[in-house]
Amino acid sequence: MTTTTDPTTPRDGRTGDAHGDPAIQQHQRGGLATALTDGWTLGKRNLKHFTRLPRLLIFSTIQPVMFVLLFGYIFDGAVRGALPDGFPSYLAFVMPGIFVQSTVFRMTQTAVGLADDLDKGVVDRFRSMPMSRSGVLIGRTIADLVRSMAVIVLMAIVGVLVGFRFASFVGAVGSIAIVGVLGYALSWVFVWLALHVPGAESAQSAAFVFAFPLSFVSSVFVPATSISIAWLAFIARNSPITAAADAARGLAVSGPVLAPTLKTFGWSVALLVVFIPWSTHRFRHVE
Amino acid sequence: MPIVHPEVVVTRPDTVLRVTAHPAPIRRSVRPDVVPAIEVEGVTKRFGDTLALDDVDLVVPPGGVVGLLGPNGAGKTTLVRVLATLLAPTAGHARIFGHDVVEEPQVARRNLSLTGQYAAIDGLLTGRENLRMFGDLLQLTPSSARRRADDLLERFDLVDAADRRASTYSGGMRRRLDLASSLILPPRLAFLDEPTTGLDPRTRNQMWEVIRELVADGTTLLLTTQYLEEADQLANRIVVIDHGRIIADGTGDELKDRAGGITVEVLLADSDGAADACRVLAAAGLDPRGVTAPTADLEVPTDSTQGLGTVQRVAGALQAAEIGVTDLGLRRATLDEVFLQLTDRLPTDGDEPDPASSGNGRPATNGHRR
């Protein structure tokens, strides 16, 4: 057996020194740059999963489209009279709400995907490599954001086909963007959840327990002011989901824009400030 | 029967290997000028009430293969996970080429690679994409990552399957791809956690070839396995772990000598005559014992210097008594026997008791025999 390692001068292991092999060249990057490039590398990997498994994308689109059609047509007659001014139909009211609702549910998949990776052993490999810790989480959340945005765009197209009208193109882009901001923040909450609930199936159940009340106790389906139980109305009025739904509605169709938009940003920043460091710390020490 | 000294130290050109009944702590580097590839000092790992590792000491000099052998739940994987910076020890220190896994995890990680029990490869990506991804994550430049992926696909005989999804690969191909993906940056120290569990014998041989090449390139290897044959084939040092403790440490030969050395095995023409044959041999001053194995009905302990003499005496006594014999020969103890003696069970036995629950299978006492 040959021993080619030189034991007297152990490599200090800095990058650029791939076991002394000059043919292997490495980038020299700082911590944040590494986190972002690792995040991008893993984001691409996760996005490839959607293109390789088209049924994931198809089924994640069918459900919100179904919601649009069911709510738009079935509830239209019953609730049209209760709608605020500026909304000619229930479809016009509920569509931006369903942008938010479907994003919340889409983001539960962040918990499922991450829990799945944790189960499979790929995360063990990542954690044993000299790569960025947060890169794994950034890659996961970025990919889920892209997917969620793709689903919303498809949904919007279906909505337009069945009679939904955006107030303007800028409003359309703005409403989808504001939903994306909150969605991204929520995906870090689900990352946190996946790191605390072992197993993909339990992570999914836990995420749904969280996502269901959150999206219904809000202005997604009805104006928050119409909720008659006081404490529920209080939660609904102050929910980040309501803020995002109101902002998306204001931008896409009609209603106030500035206040709910600021509220959405406020919530999103607060969630990210809490859950990015918390989740990253947890990820470093998960056993 | 050689008397197993409590601590036999065998010096080889590059290593010092110990066979110990109660393993003495090996707290120093075996050669003071060599930074050990692995240095474990008093590592304890507790999961709730379960003691997975109990004050483990281990020094592995660079080069060669250490086989970490033990039953399910003995603590093999836990030790590997501590060394691979995935688990922080409850107490004690572990260093990889001098770098503490808790204090300097990123530096330690640059010196090691881990191939775990569960493949790290992504079934939805192709083999090539998997390797490219790991290259990107190791900050290789795009051209280096591409070249490295091509090299490894070639080396691991995966060129034809390179652009197929890894989910279509056979078990052996997946293991090879998994191992390849851990070698993007050639590591100085590679951990292979049960690399051939579940593989058929042919595929297992392929993996062994790959592992031998890796070692020939100068990589130090720590291999966990439940297969005694695998440890015997690949490892030049075997560390037996049970209930979170190292209970034996030495070369395969040293462990076999310790487990009872050499016996003369006799297969009788008529198995029912074993009791008679034993009486005849006992009358001749031998110490026979009846066994039930396909290859032997009785065996007589001996050692390497007296082996042939014992064969003669057994043959003479049986011939004089006109007892028919179909096979007779000297046989060395197998690692199976070593293992049974050390742990009271084979590593592949599934009925592993909770490590904290009983003292059964604790280190054999000095001179303990079957």
Side-chain angles (χ1 to χ4, degrees), chain A residues 2 13 27 29 49 124-125, chain B residues 81 110 122 139 144 181 216:
Chain A
T2 56
H27 292 290
R29 290 193 176 107
H49 287 182
D124 279 353
R125 167 67 63 72
Chain B
R81 290 174 65 83
R110 291 189 183 108
D122 191 323
Q139 306 296 326
S144 271
S181 70

Side-chain angles (χ1 to χ4, degrees), chain A residues 1-15 17-19 21-29 33-35 37-39 41-42 44-46 48-54 119-133 284-287, chain B residues 14 33-35 45 47 62-65 81 84-88 97 99 106-107 109-116 118-120 122 124-126 129 133-134 136-142 144 147-148 165 178-179 181-182 184-188 215-219 236:
Chain A
M1 171 179 335
T2 56
T3 302
T4 55
T5 45
D6 178 1
T8 54
T9 53
R11 287 186 308 146
D12 64 3
R14 291 190 209 296
T15 49
D17 173 16
H19 208 53
D21 187 341
I24 303 174
Q25 294 185 343
Q26 289 174 279
H27 292 290
Q28 310 283 328
R29 290 193 176 107
T34 306
T37 52
D38 287 353
T41 300
L42 292 173
K44 278 191 297 189
R45 163 207 182 233
N46 296 333
K48 272 183 191 152
H49 287 182
F50 304 136
T51 59
R52 303 279 156 97
L53 280 183
D119 280 350
K120 270 186 189 147
V122 63
V123 167
D124 279 353
R125 167 67 63 72
F126 293 152
R127 291 175 68 235
S128 74
M129 285 165 52
M131 58 176 280
S132 151
R133 304 293 91 180
R284 280 203 182 97
H285 297 99
V286 73
E287 295 200 334
Chain B
D14 241 11
D33 59 321
V34 174
V35 177
K45 180 66 193 180
F47 296 105
V65 183
R81 290 174 65 83
T85 75
L86 299 180
L87 286 179
F97 286 100
H99 300 287
Q106 287 292 55
V107 186
R109 283 173 194 134
R110 291 189 183 108
N111 287 286
L112 66 85
S113 81
L114 169 69
T115 308
Y118 304 100
D122 191 323
L124 291 174
L125 304 186
T126 67
E129 285 170 335
M133 179 184 78
F134 283 108
D136 290 344
L137 292 174
L138 289 163
Q139 306 296 326
L140 263 57
T141 59
S144 271
R147 210 166 37 236
R148 202 61 198 134
R165 287 187 197 181
D178 196 23
L179 184 56
S181 70
S182 76
I184 303 278
L185 288 180
R188 300 174 81 195
V215 177
D217 289 347
T219 305
N236 47 9

Side-chain angles (χ1 to χ4, degrees), chain B residues 21-322:
Chain B
H22 289 298
I26 308 171
R27 289 189 188 273
R28 62 196 148 66
S29 163
V30 285
R31 250 169 52 185
D33 59 321
V34 174
V35 177
I38 300 173
E39 225 180 338
V40 177
E41 281 181 6
V43 162
T44 296
K45 180 66 193 180
R46 204 176 267 287
F47 296 105
D49 289 338
T50 307
L51 196 56
L53 292 175
D54 183 5
D55 194 22
V56 171
D57 292 295
L58 180 69
V59 176
V60 176
V65 183
V66 173
L68 190 59
L69 196 58
N72 281 323
K76 303 185 297 283
T77 298
T78 306
L79 181 56
V80 167
R81 290 174 65 83
V82 166
L83 291 170
T85 75
L86 299 180
L87 286 179
T90 311
H93 296 280
R95 284 181 284 276
I96 303 298
F97 286 100
H99 300 287
D100 192 289
V101 297
V102 176
E103 304 293 323
E104 305 175 88
Q106 287 292 55
V107 186
R109 283 173 194 134
R110 291 189 183 108
N111 287 286
L112 66 85
S113 81
L114 169 69
T115 308
Q117 281 179 40
Y118 304 100
I121 54 172
D122 191 323
L124 291 174
L125 304 186
T126 67
R128 193 188 304 280
E129 285 170 335
N130 269 288
L131 295 177
R132 290 283 305 275
M133 179 184 78
F134 283 108
D136 290 344
L137 292 174
L138 289 163
Q139 306 296 326
L140 263 57
T141 59
S143 64
S144 271
R146 193 164 43 237
R147 210 166 37 236
R148 202 61 198 134
D150 291 344
D151 290 351
L152 287 163
L153 288 166
E154 180 101 25
R155 177 169 160 196
F156 286 86
D157 195 20
L158 291 166
V159 174
D160 292 340
D163 297 310
R164 267 172 33 207
R165 287 187 197 181
S167 56
T168 66
Y169 285 18
S170 69
M173 290 162 78
R174 286 175 72 92
R175 296 290 175 101
R176 293 210 299 278
L177 180 62
D178 196 23
L179 184 56
S181 70
S182 76
L183 303 177
I184 303 278
L185 288 180
R188 300 174 81 195
L189 171 65
F191 297 108
L192 302 183
D193 197 5
E194 304 201 0
T196 63
T197 299
L199 295 185
D200 62 67
R202 194 178 59 87
T203 320
R204 180 173 305 169
N205 279 323
Q206 285 178 355
M207 275 305 276
W208 286 356
E209 276 316 303
V210 167
I211 289 168
R212 288 194 184 100
E213 281 172 31
L214 194 61
V215 177
D217 289 347
T219 305
T220 309
L221 217 71
L222 183 82
L223 166 93
T224 77
T225 182
Q226 300 182 27
Y227 301 120
L228 301 152
E229 191 200 351
E230 182 160 276
D232 216 9
Q233 283 274 336
L234 295 175
N236 47 9
R237 174 179 172 190
I238 295 174
V239 173
V240 183
I241 189 167
D242 194 23
H243 298 288
R245 298 185 71 96
I246 290 176
I247 57 172
D249 183 352
T251 64
D253 287 349
E254 287 165 344
L255 296 182
K256 287 173 195 167
D257 284 347
R258 183 181 156 196
I262 294 172
T263 56
V264 175
E265 279 191 345
V266 182
L267 185 64
L268 297 171
D270 174 16
S271 293
D272 297 334
D276 288 340
C278 282
R279 264 193 299 280
V280 167
L281 293 175
L286 293 158
D287 178 24
R289 52 183 178 238
V291 293
T292 45
T295 55
D297 294 311
L298 58 94
E299 59 181 30
V300 181
T302 181
D303 60 49
S304 52
T305 51
Q306 316 223 331
L308 287 175
T310 311
V311 170
Q312 275 180 342
R313 291 171 65 194
V314 170
L318 292 176
Q319 194 179 24
E322 297 186 340

